[in-house]
Amino acid sequence: MTMAIWPPSCASAHDYDGIRAVLIASGFTIFELTDANVSNIETFFRAVVGVVPNDPPLSGKPHADAFVDSVWEGFQQLGVARIAVLWKHADKMLNEGLQDLIEICDLFQEVARSLTTTHEGRSSRILFHLILFGSGPNFPRVRLVWNGTNLVVEQ
């Protein structure tokens, strides 16, 4: 059964290295979206195709169903138990594309949800976590702790 920590966690950009280290030490496969130019759904799709595994390959053009199916398949093919997507500069979306940010988070939630179900005769056991990093009051200083079975975010 896949477990997803949802909604996605928001953390201060100052905590990026520490959180990344905890995830790696806890056995997570990490995918890092570091493009500071992601400001709407179009720029997100162009950036994410080179970051997360996707099969069939995504074109970089916004298409929700294709994203969910392709990223799901890409994660399945990894054969790992823990995956985290770390998104730097997510705060840029608050000012330039808030509705797009909500839609993108919904897409990742659908990926996480689809990982919990049997799809074409296959099921998975993947712990998935999305962490948005940025500056400002929506991105508090946090500490991430692995308790042996789950991630716990402490503020």
Side-chain angles (χ1 to χ4, degrees):
M1 175 179 190
T2 303
M3 298 171 289
I5 300 173
W6 218 259
S9 297
C10 294
S12 170
H14 297 290
D15 296 323
Y16 186 87
D17 291 335
I19 289 173
R20 185 179 182 279
V22 167
L23 291 166
I24 290 170
S26 302
F28 278 78
T29 299
I30 306 293
F31 297 96
E32 300 172 275
L33 181 58
T34 60
D35 188 336
N37 296 314
V38 174
S39 60
N40 57 42
I41 201 160
E42 289 81 16
T43 55
F44 167 80
F45 272 96
R46 283 196 301 270
V48 79
V49 296
V51 174
V52 298
N54 50 97
D55 184 28
L58 293 167
S59 68
K61 295 180 182 172
H63 190 281
D65 289 338
F67 177 84
V68 171
D69 291 343
S70 180
V71 172
W72 178 89
E73 184 63 35
F75 285 165
Q76 287 290 325
Q77 290 180 9
L78 292 175
V80 299
R82 300 177 186 133
I83 296 171
V85 174
L86 308 182
W87 183 355
K88 280 187 166 182
H89 314 290
D91 55 330
K92 189 167 189 175
M93 298 284 293
L94 295 178
N95 295 325
E96 300 179 33
L98 179 58
Q99 188 58 45
D100 288 348
L101 178 61
I102 293 168
E103 185 175 343
I104 291 164
C105 288
D106 286 347
L107 292 175
F108 275 116
Q109 182 178 23
E110 185 57 32
V111 169
R113 185 180 301 121
S114 69
L115 287 169
T116 66
T117 61
T118 301
H119 183 73
E120 296 180 4
R122 297 185 294 175
S123 61
S124 62
R125 307 191 130 206
I126 298 173
L127 177 63
F128 176 78
H129 193 51
L130 172 64
I131 305 175
L132 309 177
F133 291 90
S135 300
N138 295 304
F139 298 89
R141 297 296 307 255
V142 298
R143 190 168 77 92
L144 193 64
V145 178
W146 176 253
N147 69 10
T149 56
N150 286 304
L151 292 170
V152 179
V153 178
E154 298 177 345
Q155 291 187 353

